[in-house]
Amino acid sequence: MNSSVPYLLAILGEGVVPPSTMVCHADDLGLVRGDGVFDTTRIVTAQDGTSRIDHLDEHLSRFARSIAGVDGPTPDLDSWHHLIDDAARTWRIPGEAALKLVYTNGRQVVPGPPRGFLIISPLSETAIEEREGIDVLCLSRGVTSEAFADAPWLLGGVKTLSYAVNVAALRYARSQGSDDVIFTSTDGYLLEGPTSGLIIEAADGLWTTPTGATGILSSITVSTVFDAADEEGFKTSTRLIKSAELLRAQGAWLLSSVRGVAPILSVDSHPLAQDEDMTRRLRTWAGFDACH
Amino acid sequence: MNSSVPYLLAILGEGVVPPSTMVCHADDLGLVRGDGVFDTTRIVTAQDGTSRIDHLDEHLSRFARSIAGVDGPTPDLDSWHHLIDDAARTWRIPGEAALKLVYTNGRQVVPGPPRGFLIISPLSETAIEEREGIDVLCLSRGVTSEAFADAPWLLGGVKTLSYAVNVAALRYARSQGSDDVIFTSTDGYLLEGPTSGLIIEAADGLWTTPTGATGILSSITVSTVFDAADEEGFKTSTRLIKSAELLRAQGAWLLSSVRGVAPILSVDSHPLAQDEDMTRRLRTWAGFDACH
């Protein structure tokens, strides 16, 4: 990376602005309290510069639910759509990029309205490599699998800006020679990745982990894949999965909107079984087959 | 609050700047990931405009430990001292204010160094009122009392910018007619407030809750009070405290650097015993007696 990294910035109420524009006051609650939310999806730009955005309505819906989760006002989705359209028309670099929407609850000391902006930045080399397979560590998230039931203040399922633990877990994994993390509950269940959802394949079909009391974020990529798998007659279900089941799985994957489908090669240095046919299917269902 | 709220901003490497200055790019990790830390103490300004800062060395030490906790570089404390001196000389408004130091891990997309700045803003009316007493809710933090043992990625004791749950818990308490929160563990122990440490008084002395495996932040105000209490021959200790013990306590307080000592009037609508002599002692020990 260097300072010529292509990068697009657009601010709600202002439009596309130079990427060097500062967006945030020193007392912005998003900055000093992580009191805001985000959502990220993929934007794919063709050689002629035209772009398509993956599952934009689903991401905007989740973004709006996240904003409600931090007691923000109902977002004006028309304004967001206009901003995203402007940004997508301006972004002309062929290839894959991440489109990140950001909302903050405004300023803490000096009064001010909520703040919204978006960033488009190219897919990292690391993400492209990780589509070939990842080594994963299981790390405790410190919570029980029922911690978020009837506890809205814990912000389960809300994609807040307070991602320090997610970032620290990824840094820890990389310091140990791994690529990614599966968080586990203190009562022994698999939860999710710091920025991804989990699918495992057992003899009786494909499984993912439940949202709700677990605090797990609803993964749009997992939902997309499961809908497509159901249509093709594959069995898909949701349940709590014990950590030990991972080692007996026929395959396991972490899924996210930008990196797509990453097959898990090993967990805590134990090699996992690979189902390359299913990996190909998952990529197709997720809309990532053209990337391979 | 209105836009004439007095407010001072100083940026590391730049000095005191107009408070309307934006400090943060759209891809700053502190903003989009809560990947940064802060620390806050009180600055007290006399009628002649000269200021003193409470326990600055202790706060700078904790700030440096927090920065290390998010894998930041060792901060140049001389530069921070110079910046704080400049800010304190510029701030001339008599009374009490909060001095907040902020560090972020720099930018995510475009490379850049870590970022540091500070804010001075006046003590809120709410904080002044809450010194007279607070009604508190006990809310689950979703974690066990041992969740942070051997799990550095959970950032126990690190004062990160990822405070969304702390803010949401306070908002929830206020929506229920309470002023503040005591977080509890899923195994039934009292932890800390979202922005404060806890002291309870039992027949055998003053108690606070342990840092370490609990993830509780080391409270500089609690330490200051306990040091002074020890010198005057009061018994002080640290242990895990069951939630039920609170209702039998002779007194209970939430302590923090800016609000000072707030006696807990009730917990979950149950009135608590008040020890007004001890409240006065705690205020004196914490350096807040002149405020009453």
Side-chain angles (χ1 to χ4, degrees):
Chain A
M1 284 206 306
N2 57 56
S3 58
S4 68
V5 175
Y7 166 63
L8 182 143
L9 169 62
I11 299 176
L12 200 66
E14 300 181 30
V16 176
V17 298
S20 59
T21 307
M22 296 263 191
V23 299
C24 186
H25 286 99
D27 64 332
D28 193 287
L29 287 161
L31 175 59
V32 294
R33 289 292 194 229
D35 183 20
V37 303
F38 73 104
D39 216 292
T40 305
T41 188
R42 185 174 63 148
I43 176 167
V44 182
T45 306
Q47 288 300 325
D48 68 359
T50 58
S51 293
R52 66 174 173 80
I53 298 170
D54 287 352
H55 308 294
L56 180 58
D57 287 340
E58 290 84 346
H59 285 276
L60 276 173
S61 295
R62 190 172 67 179
F63 189 51
R65 288 199 304 276
S66 290
I67 292 171
V70 295
D71 290 335
T74 305
D76 177 354
L77 290 185
D78 282 348
S79 299
W80 278 103
H81 269 293
H82 284 302
L83 190 70
I84 293 163
D85 286 348
D86 281 352
R89 265 196 306 273
T90 307
W91 181 257
R92 310 284 297 175
I93 300 172
E96 297 173 87
L99 166 64
K100 178 183 288 197
L101 313 176
V102 179
Y103 163 90
T104 86
N105 262 332
R107 301 180 66 179
Q108 183 174 39
V109 180
V110 179
R115 187 128 182 101
F117 62 90
L118 68 80
I119 309 169
I120 301 177
S121 61
L123 191 69
S124 72
E125 288 297 320
T126 305
I128 294 168
E129 288 162 17
E130 288 175 352
R131 289 172 173 168
E132 301 305 317
I134 50 178
D135 296 307
V136 165
L137 281 190
C138 281
L139 296 181
S140 169
R141 190 64 186 77
V143 297
T144 64
S145 62
E146 299 185 327
F148 295 81
D150 304 320
W153 57 87
L154 293 182
L155 303 177
V158 178
K159 204 167 169 67
T160 74
L161 298 175
S162 288
Y163 256 43
V165 167
N166 306 51
V167 173
L170 286 171
R171 266 201 300 260
Y172 181 84
R174 284 168 191 153
S175 76
Q176 305 295 307
S178 290
D179 303 303
D180 212 328
V181 169
I182 301 173
F183 281 129
T184 57
S185 67
T186 52
D187 48 345
Y189 293 102
L190 301 168
L191 296 172
E192 62 188 336
T195 63
S196 55
L198 174 68
I199 291 179
I200 75 167
E201 183 187 10
D204 56 352
L206 297 171
W207 295 92
T208 191
T209 51
T211 59
T214 59
I216 291 173
L217 184 76
S218 174
S219 166
I220 289 165
T221 314
V222 170
S223 295
T224 302
V225 159
F226 270 26
D227 287 348
D230 289 343
E231 275 192 21
E232 295 198 16
F234 287 82
K235 184 174 181 308
T236 64
S237 302
T238 299
R239 65 170 165 88
L240 286 171
I241 301 169
K242 280 278 182 192
S243 298
E245 294 182 59
L246 197 52
L247 296 177
R248 300 193 300 268
Q250 298 173 14
W253 300 265
L254 287 178
L255 284 82
S256 51
S257 298
V258 176
R259 188 175 65 185
V261 176
I264 301 175
L265 303 176
S266 73
V267 171
D268 300 341
S269 301
H270 300 288
L272 291 202
Q274 301 299 307
D275 182 342
E276 291 176 12
D277 284 344
M278 184 57 76
T279 298
R280 275 189 288 273
R281 283 191 193 95
L282 292 172
R283 283 180 183 141
T284 302
W285 293 333
F288 282 80
D289 49 356
C291 308
H292 288 266
Chain B
M1 285 204 304
N2 57 55
S3 57
S4 69
V5 175
Y7 166 63
L8 182 143
L9 169 62
I11 300 175
L12 200 65
E14 300 182 29
V16 176
V17 299
S20 58
T21 307
M22 296 266 191
V23 299
C24 188
H25 286 100
D27 64 333
D28 192 287
L29 288 162
L31 176 59
V32 294
R33 288 293 195 228
D35 184 19
V37 301
F38 73 104
D39 217 293
T40 305
T41 188
R42 185 175 62 149
I43 176 167
V44 182
T45 306
Q47 287 300 325
D48 68 0
T50 59
S51 293
R52 67 175 172 78
I53 298 171
D54 287 352
H55 309 294
L56 179 58
D57 287 341
E58 290 85 347
H59 285 276
L60 276 173
S61 294
R62 190 172 67 179
F63 188 50
R65 288 199 305 277
S66 290
I67 292 171
V70 295
D71 290 336
T74 305
D76 177 353
L77 291 185
D78 283 347
S79 298
W80 278 103
H81 269 293
H82 285 302
L83 190 71
I84 293 163
D85 286 348
D86 282 353
R89 266 196 305 275
T90 307
W91 181 258
R92 310 286 296 175
I93 300 172
E96 297 173 85
L99 166 64
K100 177 183 288 198
L101 312 176
V102 178
Y103 163 91
T104 86
N105 263 331
R107 300 180 66 178
Q108 184 174 39
V109 180
V110 180
R115 187 127 182 101
F117 62 89
L118 67 81
I119 309 168
I120 301 178
S121 60
L123 190 69
S124 72
E125 287 297 319
T126 306
I128 293 169
E129 288 163 16
E130 288 175 352
R131 288 172 174 169
E132 301 305 316
I134 50 178
D135 295 307
V136 165
L137 282 190
C138 280
L139 296 180
S140 169
R141 190 65 186 78
V143 297
T144 65
S145 62
E146 299 184 329
F148 295 80
D150 305 319
W153 57 87
L154 294 182
L155 304 177
V158 178
K159 205 167 168 67
T160 73
L161 298 175
S162 288
Y163 255 44
V165 167
N166 306 50
V167 173
L170 286 171
R171 265 199 301 258
Y172 181 83
R174 285 169 190 151
S175 77
Q176 304 296 306
S178 290
D179 303 303
D180 211 327
V181 168
I182 301 175
F183 280 129
T184 57
S185 68
T186 52
D187 48 346
Y189 293 102
L190 302 168
L191 296 172
E192 62 189 338
T195 63
S196 55
L198 174 68
I199 291 179
I200 75 165
E201 184 186 10
D204 56 352
L206 297 171
W207 296 92
T208 191
T209 51
T211 60
T214 59
I216 291 172
L217 184 76
S218 175
S219 166
I220 289 165
T221 313
V222 170
S223 296
T224 301
V225 159
F226 269 27
D227 287 348
D230 288 343
E231 274 192 23
E232 295 198 16
F234 286 82
K235 184 173 182 308
T236 64
S237 304
T238 299
R239 66 171 164 88
L240 285 171
I241 301 169
K242 280 279 182 190
S243 297
E245 294 183 60
L246 197 51
L247 296 177
R248 299 193 301 267
Q250 298 173 14
W253 300 265
L254 287 178
L255 284 80
S256 51
S257 297
V258 177
R259 188 175 65 184
V261 176
I264 301 174
L265 303 176
S266 73
V267 172
D268 300 341
S269 301
H270 300 288
L272 290 201
Q274 301 299 306
D275 183 342
E276 291 177 12
D277 283 345
M278 184 57 78
T279 298
R280 276 189 288 274
R281 283 192 192 94
L282 292 172
R283 283 180 183 142
T284 302
W285 292 334
F288 281 80
D289 48 357
C291 308
H292 288 268

